[in-house]
Amino acid sequence: MRFSKVKAKTALLVAGKTQCELAETLELSRRWVGAAFNGEKSISEKTARRIAAALGVDVTEIIEQED
């Protein structure tokens, strides 16, 4: 599983949330969320699922499928 920063940013925009609001919902720092969304942090499957749930999407919508 690989977190897709483009798909995640799109989901964030569609949800009408900011990275700061998402960070508060997830109880993570805004800096950590920003780094994750910029591809600077590795994301666990558990965290990807939490991000997806907070954005109201299925986790498959914010990850890249591996071949």
Side-chain angles (χ1 to χ4, degrees):
M1 182 195 82
R2 189 169 144 199
F3 187 71
S4 170
K5 62 183 183 179
V6 173
K7 289 180 178 182
K9 286 180 181 180
T10 300
L12 185 69
L13 183 64
V14 169
K17 293 188 177 189
T18 65
Q19 288 183 0
C20 189
E21 291 168 333
L22 181 62
E24 288 177 14
T25 300
L26 298 172
E27 296 181 347
L28 297 169
S29 73
R30 200 237 29 101
R31 177 176 261 191
W32 188 94
V33 171
F37 274 60
N38 287 321
E40 300 166 10
K41 287 263 184 211
S42 180
I43 306 265
S44 70
E45 183 176 347
K46 180 181 177 181
T47 302
R49 289 186 185 283
R50 289 182 61 216
I51 291 170
L55 295 175
V57 299
D58 189 79
V59 71
T60 59
E61 294 186 41
I62 62 168
I63 62 170
E64 294 177 357
Q65 298 298 323
E66 295 179 11
D67 296 330

